[in-house]
Amino acid sequence: MSSAKKSAERLIKKYPNRRLYDTQTSSYITLTDVKQLVLDNEEFTVVDAKSNEDLTRAILLQIILEEEASGVPMFSTNVLAQIIRYYGHAMQGMMGSYLEKNVDAFTDIQRKFTGASLDGKPFSPEMWTQFMNVQGPMMQGMMNNYIDQSKSLFVQMQEQMQNQSKSLFGAFPFVMPVPPTDKK
């Protein structure tokens, strides 16, 4: 990251007493304030006041946890369990990239709909809600088709990796170990 971008980025320090200090406004802020920075597309970094360790991801995860605990959760128990299963798995790095690209695609679709106009007026949040109430099933179908295509591409990619691994390591004389038999 360039030094010009870092200086323009808002710096928030987290102190041992768990308080967050916004260096731009010279005041303490809450997680709700940090959430508002995210909603306002403000660039910021949260660092530990003593060690200077970057805590931005941890703070964002904390905000997600609070959002999931109140209101209607975005992630089902099954989705959370599946995400946990990918930690430590060979596909962990690829899964993060895959999820990021899908969220970016969904955001792009939303931006296109939000940027659309009706009678020369841009979609307001209320109009967006009305549109989704009427068009929800169609949008769900579109997203299901997108997910099916994405799943198919993911499976193809996995098969290609397996085939490449077989061709790469096929020349090595691997012998499958024979399990020991119980002799009594």
PDB file of all heavy atoms in Angstrom, residues 105-143:
ATOM      1  N   ALA A 105     -19.518 -10.163  -7.322  1.00  0.00           N
ATOM      2  CA  ALA A 105     -20.500 -10.303  -8.403  1.00  0.00           C
ATOM      3  C   ALA A 105     -21.890  -9.898  -7.926  1.00  0.00           C
ATOM      4  O   ALA A 105     -22.624  -9.190  -8.621  1.00  0.00           O
ATOM      5  CB  ALA A 105     -20.514 -11.735  -8.933  1.00  0.00           C
ATOM      6  N   PHE A 106     -22.258 -10.333  -6.723  1.00  0.00           N
ATOM      7  CA  PHE A 106     -23.561  -9.981  -6.165  1.00  0.00           C
ATOM      8  C   PHE A 106     -23.656  -8.471  -5.953  1.00  0.00           C
ATOM      9  O   PHE A 106     -24.672  -7.850  -6.266  1.00  0.00           O
ATOM     10  CB  PHE A 106     -23.794 -10.731  -4.851  1.00  0.00           C
ATOM     11  CG  PHE A 106     -25.174 -10.534  -4.304  1.00  0.00           C
ATOM     12  CD1 PHE A 106     -26.238 -11.270  -4.795  1.00  0.00           C
ATOM     13  CD2 PHE A 106     -25.411  -9.617  -3.299  1.00  0.00           C
ATOM     14  CE1 PHE A 106     -27.521 -11.089  -4.300  1.00  0.00           C
ATOM     15  CE2 PHE A 106     -26.682  -9.415  -2.793  1.00  0.00           C
ATOM     16  CZ  PHE A 106     -27.750 -10.164  -3.297  1.00  0.00           C
ATOM     17  N   THR A 107     -22.590  -7.863  -5.450  1.00  0.00           N
ATOM     18  CA  THR A 107     -22.552  -6.418  -5.230  1.00  0.00           C
ATOM     19  C   THR A 107     -22.691  -5.676  -6.554  1.00  0.00           C
ATOM     20  O   THR A 107     -23.380  -4.657  -6.643  1.00  0.00           O
ATOM     21  CB  THR A 107     -21.249  -6.009  -4.516  1.00  0.00           C
ATOM     22  OG1 THR A 107     -21.159  -6.728  -3.287  1.00  0.00           O
ATOM     23  CG2 THR A 107     -21.189  -4.524  -4.241  1.00  0.00           C
ATOM     24  N   ASP A 108     -22.040  -6.187  -7.587  1.00  0.00           N
ATOM     25  CA  ASP A 108     -22.128  -5.576  -8.907  1.00  0.00           C
ATOM     26  C   ASP A 108     -23.559  -5.628  -9.438  1.00  0.00           C
ATOM     27  O   ASP A 108     -24.064  -4.639  -9.978  1.00  0.00           O
ATOM     28  CB  ASP A 108     -21.167  -6.275  -9.873  1.00  0.00           C
ATOM     29  CG  ASP A 108     -21.044  -5.542 -11.192  1.00  0.00           C
ATOM     30  OD1 ASP A 108     -20.939  -4.295 -11.182  1.00  0.00           O
ATOM     31  OD2 ASP A 108     -21.051  -6.216 -12.243  1.00  0.00           O
ATOM     32  N   ILE A 109     -24.215  -6.769  -9.261  1.00  0.00           N
ATOM     33  CA  ILE A 109     -25.619  -6.895  -9.686  1.00  0.00           C
ATOM     34  C   ILE A 109     -26.478  -5.893  -8.930  1.00  0.00           C
ATOM     35  O   ILE A 109     -27.308  -5.193  -9.519  1.00  0.00           O
ATOM     36  CB  ILE A 109     -26.130  -8.342  -9.459  1.00  0.00           C
ATOM     37  CG1 ILE A 109     -25.454  -9.290 -10.440  1.00  0.00           C
ATOM     38  CG2 ILE A 109     -27.649  -8.414  -9.597  1.00  0.00           C
ATOM     39  CD1 ILE A 109     -25.674 -10.763 -10.121  1.00  0.00           C
ATOM     40  N   GLN A 110     -26.279  -5.793  -7.622  1.00  0.00           N
ATOM     41  CA  GLN A 110     -27.056  -4.856  -6.811  1.00  0.00           C
ATOM     42  C   GLN A 110     -26.792  -3.414  -7.256  1.00  0.00           C
ATOM     43  O   GLN A 110     -27.711  -2.608  -7.360  1.00  0.00           O
ATOM     44  CB  GLN A 110     -26.721  -5.018  -5.333  1.00  0.00           C
ATOM     45  CG  GLN A 110     -27.548  -4.114  -4.444  1.00  0.00           C
ATOM     46  CD  GLN A 110     -27.148  -4.190  -2.988  1.00  0.00           C
ATOM     47  OE1 GLN A 110     -26.067  -4.664  -2.655  1.00  0.00           O
ATOM     48  NE2 GLN A 110     -28.014  -3.724  -2.112  1.00  0.00           N
ATOM     49  N   ARG A 111     -25.537  -3.086  -7.530  1.00  0.00           N
ATOM     50  CA  ARG A 111     -25.178  -1.736  -7.956  1.00  0.00           C
ATOM     51  C   ARG A 111     -25.866  -1.388  -9.274  1.00  0.00           C
ATOM     52  O   ARG A 111     -26.348  -0.270  -9.464  1.00  0.00           O
ATOM     53  CB  ARG A 111     -23.663  -1.615  -8.095  1.00  0.00           C
ATOM     54  CG  ARG A 111     -23.174  -0.198  -8.328  1.00  0.00           C
ATOM     55  CD  ARG A 111     -21.645  -0.096  -8.408  1.00  0.00           C
ATOM     56  NE  ARG A 111     -21.009  -0.621  -7.209  1.00  0.00           N
ATOM     57  CZ  ARG A 111     -20.149  -1.630  -7.204  1.00  0.00           C
ATOM     58  NH1 ARG A 111     -19.811  -2.236  -8.328  1.00  0.00           N
ATOM     59  NH2 ARG A 111     -19.603  -2.049  -6.080  1.00  0.00           N
ATOM     60  N   LYS A 112     -25.925  -2.356 -10.197  1.00  0.00           N
ATOM     61  CA  LYS A 112     -26.579  -2.111 -11.484  1.00  0.00           C
ATOM     62  C   LYS A 112     -28.064  -1.846 -11.295  1.00  0.00           C
ATOM     63  O   LYS A 112     -28.633  -0.969 -11.933  1.00  0.00           O
ATOM     64  CB  LYS A 112     -26.339  -3.283 -12.432  1.00  0.00           C
ATOM     65  CG  LYS A 112     -24.937  -3.307 -12.979  1.00  0.00           C
ATOM     66  CD  LYS A 112     -24.679  -4.482 -13.880  1.00  0.00           C
ATOM     67  CE  LYS A 112     -23.235  -4.477 -14.332  1.00  0.00           C
ATOM     68  NZ  LYS A 112     -22.889  -5.663 -15.097  1.00  0.00           N
ATOM     69  N   PHE A 113     -28.709  -2.624 -10.423  1.00  0.00           N
ATOM     70  CA  PHE A 113     -30.126  -2.406 -10.167  1.00  0.00           C
ATOM     71  C   PHE A 113     -30.350  -1.088  -9.436  1.00  0.00           C
ATOM     72  O   PHE A 113     -31.286  -0.366  -9.719  1.00  0.00           O
ATOM     73  CB  PHE A 113     -30.731  -3.552  -9.349  1.00  0.00           C
ATOM     74  CG  PHE A 113     -31.141  -4.717 -10.191  1.00  0.00           C
ATOM     75  CD1 PHE A 113     -30.526  -5.942 -10.033  1.00  0.00           C
ATOM     76  CD2 PHE A 113     -32.143  -4.600 -11.139  1.00  0.00           C
ATOM     77  CE1 PHE A 113     -30.894  -7.029 -10.807  1.00  0.00           C
ATOM     78  CE2 PHE A 113     -32.518  -5.686 -11.920  1.00  0.00           C
ATOM     79  CZ  PHE A 113     -31.899  -6.900 -11.756  1.00  0.00           C
ATOM     80  N   THR A 114     -29.496  -0.780  -8.476  1.00  0.00           N
ATOM     81  CA  THR A 114     -29.639   0.447  -7.698  1.00  0.00           C
ATOM     82  C   THR A 114     -29.377   1.664  -8.577  1.00  0.00           C
ATOM     83  O   THR A 114     -30.042   2.684  -8.432  1.00  0.00           O
ATOM     84  CB  THR A 114     -28.674   0.449  -6.496  1.00  0.00           C
ATOM     85  OG1 THR A 114     -28.901  -0.732  -5.730  1.00  0.00           O
ATOM     86  CG2 THR A 114     -28.886   1.647  -5.610  1.00  0.00           C
ATOM     87  N   GLY A 115     -28.440   1.545  -9.493  1.00  0.00           N
ATOM     88  CA  GLY A 115     -28.122   2.656 -10.385  1.00  0.00           C
ATOM     89  C   GLY A 115     -29.176   2.857 -11.460  1.00  0.00           C
ATOM     90  O   GLY A 115     -29.243   3.906 -12.095  1.00  0.00           O
ATOM     91  N   ALA A 116     -30.012   1.852 -11.682  1.00  0.00           N
ATOM     92  CA  ALA A 116     -31.076   1.980 -12.675  1.00  0.00           C
ATOM     93  C   ALA A 116     -32.047   3.053 -12.221  1.00  0.00           C
ATOM     94  O   ALA A 116     -32.164   3.362 -11.048  1.00  0.00           O
ATOM     95  CB  ALA A 116     -31.797   0.646 -12.841  1.00  0.00           C
ATOM     96  N   SER A 117     -32.744   3.617 -13.172  1.00  0.00           N
ATOM     97  CA  SER A 117     -33.682   4.663 -12.787  1.00  0.00           C
ATOM     98  C   SER A 117     -35.087   4.315 -13.237  1.00  0.00           C
ATOM     99  O   SER A 117     -35.297   3.550 -14.172  1.00  0.00           O
ATOM    100  CB  SER A 117     -33.252   6.001 -13.369  1.00  0.00           C
ATOM    101  OG  SER A 117     -33.277   5.943 -14.777  1.00  0.00           O
ATOM    102  N   LEU A 118     -36.015   4.885 -12.530  1.00  0.00           N
ATOM    103  CA  LEU A 118     -37.421   4.715 -12.838  1.00  0.00           C
ATOM    104  C   LEU A 118     -37.982   6.127 -12.971  1.00  0.00           C
ATOM    105  O   LEU A 118     -37.908   6.913 -12.040  1.00  0.00           O
ATOM    106  CB  LEU A 118     -38.110   3.963 -11.695  1.00  0.00           C
ATOM    107  CG  LEU A 118     -39.534   3.509 -11.908  1.00  0.00           C
ATOM    108  CD1 LEU A 118     -39.593   2.496 -13.052  1.00  0.00           C
ATOM    109  CD2 LEU A 118     -40.085   2.880 -10.642  1.00  0.00           C
ATOM    110  N   ASP A 119     -38.477   6.467 -14.138  1.00  0.00           N
ATOM    111  CA  ASP A 119     -38.976   7.822 -14.399  1.00  0.00           C
ATOM    112  C   ASP A 119     -37.887   8.864 -14.151  1.00  0.00           C
ATOM    113  O   ASP A 119     -38.149   9.942 -13.625  1.00  0.00           O
ATOM    114  CB  ASP A 119     -40.208   8.136 -13.540  1.00  0.00           C
ATOM    115  CG  ASP A 119     -41.388   7.229 -13.853  1.00  0.00           C
ATOM    116  OD1 ASP A 119     -41.468   6.761 -15.008  1.00  0.00           O
ATOM    117  OD2 ASP A 119     -42.198   6.988 -12.953  1.00  0.00           O
ATOM    118  N   GLY A 120     -36.654   8.534 -14.488  1.00  0.00           N
ATOM    119  CA  GLY A 120     -35.554   9.475 -14.322  1.00  0.00           C
ATOM    120  C   GLY A 120     -35.034   9.599 -12.909  1.00  0.00           C
ATOM    121  O   GLY A 120     -34.124  10.363 -12.644  1.00  0.00           O
ATOM    122  N   LYS A 121     -35.607   8.862 -11.959  1.00  0.00           N
ATOM    123  CA  LYS A 121     -35.178   8.930 -10.562  1.00  0.00           C
ATOM    124  C   LYS A 121     -34.414   7.665 -10.210  1.00  0.00           C
ATOM    125  O   LYS A 121     -34.835   6.568 -10.566  1.00  0.00           O
ATOM    126  CB  LYS A 121     -36.392   9.044  -9.634  1.00  0.00           C
ATOM    127  CG  LYS A 121     -37.225  10.285  -9.849  1.00  0.00           C
ATOM    128  CD  LYS A 121     -38.433  10.258  -8.940  1.00  0.00           C
ATOM    129  CE  LYS A 121     -39.381  11.399  -9.259  1.00  0.00           C
ATOM    130  NZ  LYS A 121     -40.618  11.308  -8.506  1.00  0.00           N
ATOM    131  N   PRO A 122     -33.299   7.795  -9.489  1.00  0.00           N
ATOM    132  CA  PRO A 122     -32.573   6.590  -9.071  1.00  0.00           C
ATOM    133  C   PRO A 122     -33.373   5.814  -8.023  1.00  0.00           C
ATOM    134  O   PRO A 122     -34.224   6.377  -7.339  1.00  0.00           O
ATOM    135  CB  PRO A 122     -31.276   7.123  -8.489  1.00  0.00           C
ATOM    136  CG  PRO A 122     -31.546   8.542  -8.164  1.00  0.00           C
ATOM    137  CD  PRO A 122     -32.635   9.015  -9.082  1.00  0.00           C
ATOM    138  N   PHE A 123     -33.099   4.522  -7.926  1.00  0.00           N
ATOM    139  CA  PHE A 123     -33.787   3.676  -6.949  1.00  0.00           C
ATOM    140  C   PHE A 123     -33.434   4.136  -5.537  1.00  0.00           C
ATOM    141  O   PHE A 123     -32.269   4.220  -5.189  1.00  0.00           O
ATOM    142  CB  PHE A 123     -33.347   2.219  -7.100  1.00  0.00           C
ATOM    143  CG  PHE A 123     -34.209   1.405  -8.028  1.00  0.00           C
ATOM    144  CD1 PHE A 123     -34.723   1.931  -9.188  1.00  0.00           C
ATOM    145  CD2 PHE A 123     -34.498   0.090  -7.727  1.00  0.00           C
ATOM    146  CE1 PHE A 123     -35.501   1.181 -10.041  1.00  0.00           C
ATOM    147  CE2 PHE A 123     -35.277  -0.683  -8.567  1.00  0.00           C
ATOM    148  CZ  PHE A 123     -35.780  -0.133  -9.729  1.00  0.00           C
ATOM    149  N   SER A 124     -34.424   4.425  -4.739  1.00  0.00           N
ATOM    150  CA  SER A 124     -34.202   4.722  -3.323  1.00  0.00           C
ATOM    151  C   SER A 124     -34.239   3.396  -2.570  1.00  0.00           C
ATOM    152  O   SER A 124     -34.689   2.384  -3.122  1.00  0.00           O
ATOM    153  CB  SER A 124     -35.302   5.650  -2.801  1.00  0.00           C
ATOM    154  OG  SER A 124     -36.544   4.966  -2.792  1.00  0.00           O
ATOM    155  N   PRO A 125     -33.798   3.358  -1.317  1.00  0.00           N
ATOM    156  CA  PRO A 125     -33.881   2.103  -0.559  1.00  0.00           C
ATOM    157  C   PRO A 125     -35.316   1.558  -0.492  1.00  0.00           C
ATOM    158  O   PRO A 125     -35.529   0.353  -0.567  1.00  0.00           O
ATOM    159  CB  PRO A 125     -33.374   2.489   0.828  1.00  0.00           C
ATOM    160  CG  PRO A 125     -32.456   3.639   0.579  1.00  0.00           C
ATOM    161  CD  PRO A 125     -33.072   4.383  -0.575  1.00  0.00           C
ATOM    162  N   GLU A 126     -36.303   2.465  -0.389  1.00  0.00           N
ATOM    163  CA  GLU A 126     -37.702   2.018  -0.339  1.00  0.00           C
ATOM    164  C   GLU A 126     -38.120   1.392  -1.662  1.00  0.00           C
ATOM    165  O   GLU A 126     -38.799   0.363  -1.700  1.00  0.00           O
ATOM    166  CB  GLU A 126     -38.641   3.190  -0.001  1.00  0.00           C
ATOM    167  CG  GLU A 126     -38.427   3.776   1.381  1.00  0.00           C
ATOM    168  CD  GLU A 126     -37.234   4.738   1.443  1.00  0.00           C
ATOM    169  OE1 GLU A 126     -36.791   5.266   0.391  1.00  0.00           O
ATOM    170  OE2 GLU A 126     -36.722   4.933   2.567  1.00  0.00           O
ATOM    171  N   MET A 127     -37.707   2.024  -2.775  1.00  0.00           N
ATOM    172  CA  MET A 127     -38.035   1.474  -4.093  1.00  0.00           C
ATOM    173  C   MET A 127     -37.340   0.128  -4.283  1.00  0.00           C
ATOM    174  O   MET A 127     -37.897  -0.789  -4.884  1.00  0.00           O
ATOM    175  CB  MET A 127     -37.644   2.458  -5.192  1.00  0.00           C
ATOM    176  CG  MET A 127     -38.507   3.714  -5.218  1.00  0.00           C
ATOM    177  SD  MET A 127     -37.885   4.958  -6.365  1.00  0.00           S
ATOM    178  CE  MET A 127     -38.257   4.210  -7.930  1.00  0.00           C
ATOM    179  N   TRP A 128     -36.105   0.031  -3.797  1.00  0.00           N
ATOM    180  CA  TRP A 128     -35.358  -1.230  -3.892  1.00  0.00           C
ATOM    181  C   TRP A 128     -36.110  -2.329  -3.151  1.00  0.00           C
ATOM    182  O   TRP A 128     -36.246  -3.446  -3.656  1.00  0.00           O
ATOM    183  CB  TRP A 128     -33.960  -1.033  -3.322  1.00  0.00           C
ATOM    184  CG  TRP A 128     -33.116  -2.265  -3.326  1.00  0.00           C
ATOM    185  CD1 TRP A 128     -32.783  -3.017  -2.254  1.00  0.00           C
ATOM    186  CD2 TRP A 128     -32.525  -2.910  -4.450  1.00  0.00           C
ATOM    187  NE1 TRP A 128     -32.016  -4.084  -2.630  1.00  0.00           N
ATOM    188  CE2 TRP A 128     -31.841  -4.046  -3.980  1.00  0.00           C
ATOM    189  CE3 TRP A 128     -32.496  -2.645  -5.813  1.00  0.00           C
ATOM    190  CZ2 TRP A 128     -31.144  -4.908  -4.808  1.00  0.00           C
ATOM    191  CZ3 TRP A 128     -31.800  -3.505  -6.646  1.00  0.00           C
ATOM    192  CH2 TRP A 128     -31.140  -4.612  -6.141  1.00  0.00           C
ATOM    193  N   THR A 129     -36.630  -2.016  -1.963  1.00  0.00           N
ATOM    194  CA  THR A 129     -37.386  -2.992  -1.175  1.00  0.00           C
ATOM    195  C   THR A 129     -38.644  -3.420  -1.925  1.00  0.00           C
ATOM    196  O   THR A 129     -38.947  -4.619  -2.007  1.00  0.00           O
ATOM    197  CB  THR A 129     -37.765  -2.390   0.201  1.00  0.00           C
ATOM    198  OG1 THR A 129     -36.563  -2.038   0.869  1.00  0.00           O
ATOM    199  CG2 THR A 129     -38.533  -3.385   1.047  1.00  0.00           C
ATOM    200  N   GLN A 130     -39.370  -2.461  -2.484  1.00  0.00           N
ATOM    201  CA  GLN A 130     -40.572  -2.798  -3.253  1.00  0.00           C
ATOM    202  C   GLN A 130     -40.223  -3.660  -4.463  1.00  0.00           C
ATOM    203  O   GLN A 130     -40.904  -4.641  -4.761  1.00  0.00           O
ATOM    204  CB  GLN A 130     -41.287  -1.529  -3.714  1.00  0.00           C
ATOM    205  CG  GLN A 130     -41.968  -0.772  -2.600  1.00  0.00           C
ATOM    206  CD  GLN A 130     -42.574   0.541  -3.090  1.00  0.00           C
ATOM    207  OE1 GLN A 130     -42.413   0.927  -4.240  1.00  0.00           O
ATOM    208  NE2 GLN A 130     -43.266   1.218  -2.183  1.00  0.00           N
ATOM    209  N   PHE A 131     -39.144  -3.284  -5.155  1.00  0.00           N
ATOM    210  CA  PHE A 131     -38.701  -4.036  -6.321  1.00  0.00           C
ATOM    211  C   PHE A 131     -38.378  -5.480  -5.934  1.00  0.00           C
ATOM    212  O   PHE A 131     -38.786  -6.420  -6.613  1.00  0.00           O
ATOM    213  CB  PHE A 131     -37.477  -3.359  -6.942  1.00  0.00           C
ATOM    214  CG  PHE A 131     -36.889  -4.112  -8.105  1.00  0.00           C
ATOM    215  CD1 PHE A 131     -37.475  -4.045  -9.348  1.00  0.00           C
ATOM    216  CD2 PHE A 131     -35.745  -4.878  -7.935  1.00  0.00           C
ATOM    217  CE1 PHE A 131     -36.927  -4.741 -10.431  1.00  0.00           C
ATOM    218  CE2 PHE A 131     -35.197  -5.573  -8.999  1.00  0.00           C
ATOM    219  CZ  PHE A 131     -35.801  -5.506 -10.256  1.00  0.00           C
ATOM    220  N   MET A 132     -37.646  -5.648  -4.812  1.00  0.00           N
ATOM    221  CA  MET A 132     -37.257  -6.992  -4.381  1.00  0.00           C
ATOM    222  C   MET A 132     -38.467  -7.803  -3.938  1.00  0.00           C
ATOM    223  O   MET A 132     -38.502  -9.022  -4.130  1.00  0.00           O
ATOM    224  CB  MET A 132     -36.216  -6.920  -3.261  1.00  0.00           C
ATOM    225  CG  MET A 132     -34.851  -6.475  -3.743  1.00  0.00           C
ATOM    226  SD  MET A 132     -34.216  -7.416  -5.158  1.00  0.00           S
ATOM    227  CE  MET A 132     -33.966  -8.998  -4.403  1.00  0.00           C
ATOM    228  N   ASN A 133     -39.469  -7.157  -3.350  1.00  0.00           N
ATOM    229  CA  ASN A 133     -40.683  -7.879  -2.956  1.00  0.00           C
ATOM    230  C   ASN A 133     -41.397  -8.439  -4.174  1.00  0.00           C
ATOM    231  O   ASN A 133     -41.921  -9.548  -4.153  1.00  0.00           O
ATOM    232  CB  ASN A 133     -41.627  -6.974  -2.158  1.00  0.00           C
ATOM    233  CG  ASN A 133     -41.131  -6.729  -0.751  1.00  0.00           C
ATOM    234  OD1 ASN A 133     -40.320  -7.489  -0.219  1.00  0.00           O
ATOM    235  ND2 ASN A 133     -41.598  -5.652  -0.143  1.00  0.00           N
ATOM    236  N   VAL A 134     -41.429  -7.661  -5.254  1.00  0.00           N
ATOM    237  CA  VAL A 134     -42.105  -8.100  -6.474  1.00  0.00           C
ATOM    238  C   VAL A 134     -41.212  -9.050  -7.271  1.00  0.00           C
ATOM    239  O   VAL A 134     -41.668 -10.070  -7.775  1.00  0.00           O
ATOM    240  CB  VAL A 134     -42.504  -6.878  -7.336  1.00  0.00           C
ATOM    241  CG1 VAL A 134     -43.055  -7.320  -8.675  1.00  0.00           C
ATOM    242  CG2 VAL A 134     -43.500  -6.006  -6.589  1.00  0.00           C
ATOM    243  N   GLN A 135     -39.936  -8.700  -7.370  1.00  0.00           N
ATOM    244  CA  GLN A 135     -39.016  -9.446  -8.226  1.00  0.00           C
ATOM    245  C   GLN A 135     -38.195 -10.483  -7.472  1.00  0.00           C
ATOM    246  O   GLN A 135     -37.339 -11.131  -8.059  1.00  0.00           O
ATOM    247  CB  GLN A 135     -38.060  -8.473  -8.926  1.00  0.00           C
ATOM    248  CG  GLN A 135     -38.748  -7.454  -9.797  1.00  0.00           C
ATOM    249  CD  GLN A 135     -39.470  -8.080 -10.967  1.00  0.00           C
ATOM    250  OE1 GLN A 135     -39.034  -9.083 -11.504  1.00  0.00           O
ATOM    251  NE2 GLN A 135     -40.590  -7.496 -11.357  1.00  0.00           N
ATOM    252  N   GLY A 136     -38.462 -10.650  -6.177  1.00  0.00           N
ATOM    253  CA  GLY A 136     -37.674 -11.573  -5.355  1.00  0.00           C
ATOM    254  C   GLY A 136     -37.534 -12.962  -5.934  1.00  0.00           C
ATOM    255  O   GLY A 136     -36.413 -13.479  -6.062  1.00  0.00           O
ATOM    256  N   PRO A 137     -38.655 -13.611  -6.300  1.00  0.00           N
ATOM    257  CA  PRO A 137     -38.527 -14.964  -6.867  1.00  0.00           C
ATOM    258  C   PRO A 137     -37.683 -15.000  -8.142  1.00  0.00           C
ATOM    259  O   PRO A 137     -36.890 -15.917  -8.341  1.00  0.00           O
ATOM    260  CB  PRO A 137     -39.977 -15.370  -7.149  1.00  0.00           C
ATOM    261  CG  PRO A 137     -40.798 -14.524  -6.222  1.00  0.00           C
ATOM    262  CD  PRO A 137     -40.048 -13.235  -6.092  1.00  0.00           C
ATOM    263  N   MET A 138     -37.833 -13.979  -8.998  1.00  0.00           N
ATOM    264  CA  MET A 138     -37.031 -13.939 -10.219  1.00  0.00           C
ATOM    265  C   MET A 138     -35.548 -13.767  -9.875  1.00  0.00           C
ATOM    266  O   MET A 138     -34.689 -14.446 -10.443  1.00  0.00           O
ATOM    267  CB  MET A 138     -37.486 -12.794 -11.120  1.00  0.00           C
ATOM    268  CG  MET A 138     -36.707 -12.742 -12.429  1.00  0.00           C
ATOM    269  SD  MET A 138     -37.004 -11.264 -13.375  1.00  0.00           S
ATOM    270  CE  MET A 138     -36.057 -10.066 -12.459  1.00  0.00           C
ATOM    271  N   MET A 139     -35.269 -12.862  -8.925  1.00  0.00           N
ATOM    272  CA  MET A 139     -33.886 -12.644  -8.520  1.00  0.00           C
ATOM    273  C   MET A 139     -33.299 -13.910  -7.895  1.00  0.00           C
ATOM    274  O   MET A 139     -32.141 -14.252  -8.142  1.00  0.00           O
ATOM    275  CB  MET A 139     -33.793 -11.488  -7.517  1.00  0.00           C
ATOM    276  CG  MET A 139     -33.987 -10.124  -8.120  1.00  0.00           C
ATOM    277  SD  MET A 139     -32.663  -9.698  -9.245  1.00  0.00           S
ATOM    278  CE  MET A 139     -31.326  -9.459  -8.088  1.00  0.00           C
ATOM    279  N   GLN A 140     -34.109 -14.596  -7.093  1.00  0.00           N
ATOM    280  CA  GLN A 140     -33.645 -15.839  -6.466  1.00  0.00           C
ATOM    281  C   GLN A 140     -33.307 -16.871  -7.543  1.00  0.00           C
ATOM    282  O   GLN A 140     -32.296 -17.559  -7.463  1.00  0.00           O
ATOM    283  CB  GLN A 140     -34.715 -16.386  -5.513  1.00  0.00           C
ATOM    284  CG  GLN A 140     -34.228 -17.538  -4.671  1.00  0.00           C
ATOM    285  CD  GLN A 140     -33.151 -17.133  -3.689  1.00  0.00           C
ATOM    286  OE1 GLN A 140     -33.239 -16.093  -3.064  1.00  0.00           O
ATOM    287  NE2 GLN A 140     -32.123 -17.940  -3.552  1.00  0.00           N
ATOM    288  N   GLY A 141     -34.156 -16.950  -8.566  1.00  0.00           N
ATOM    289  CA  GLY A 141     -33.886 -17.865  -9.675  1.00  0.00           C
ATOM    290  C   GLY A 141     -32.611 -17.502 -10.402  1.00  0.00           C
ATOM    291  O   GLY A 141     -31.810 -18.371 -10.755  1.00  0.00           O
ATOM    292  N   MET A 142     -32.412 -16.193 -10.639  1.00  0.00           N
ATOM    293  CA  MET A 142     -31.189 -15.733 -11.289  1.00  0.00           C
ATOM    294  C   MET A 142     -29.970 -16.102 -10.458  1.00  0.00           C
ATOM    295  O   MET A 142     -28.967 -16.595 -10.985  1.00  0.00           O
ATOM    296  CB  MET A 142     -31.247 -14.208 -11.459  1.00  0.00           C
ATOM    297  CG  MET A 142     -31.271 -13.745 -12.880  1.00  0.00           C
ATOM    298  SD  MET A 142     -31.494 -11.965 -13.075  1.00  0.00           S
ATOM    299  CE  MET A 142     -30.332 -11.217 -12.007  1.00  0.00           C
ATOM    300  N   MET A 143     -30.051 -15.868  -9.148  1.00  0.00           N
ATOM    301  CA  MET A 143     -28.922 -16.174  -8.282  1.00  0.00           C
ATOM    302  C   MET A 143     -28.677 -17.685  -8.214  1.00  0.00           C
ATOM    303  O   MET A 143     -27.534 -18.130  -8.196  1.00  0.00           O
ATOM    304  CB  MET A 143     -29.143 -15.601  -6.875  1.00  0.00           C
ATOM    305  CG  MET A 143     -29.005 -14.091  -6.798  1.00  0.00           C
ATOM    306  SD  MET A 143     -27.476 -13.448  -7.501  1.00  0.00           S
ATOM    307  CE  MET A 143     -26.258 -14.144  -6.410  1.00  0.00           C
TER     308      MET A 143
END
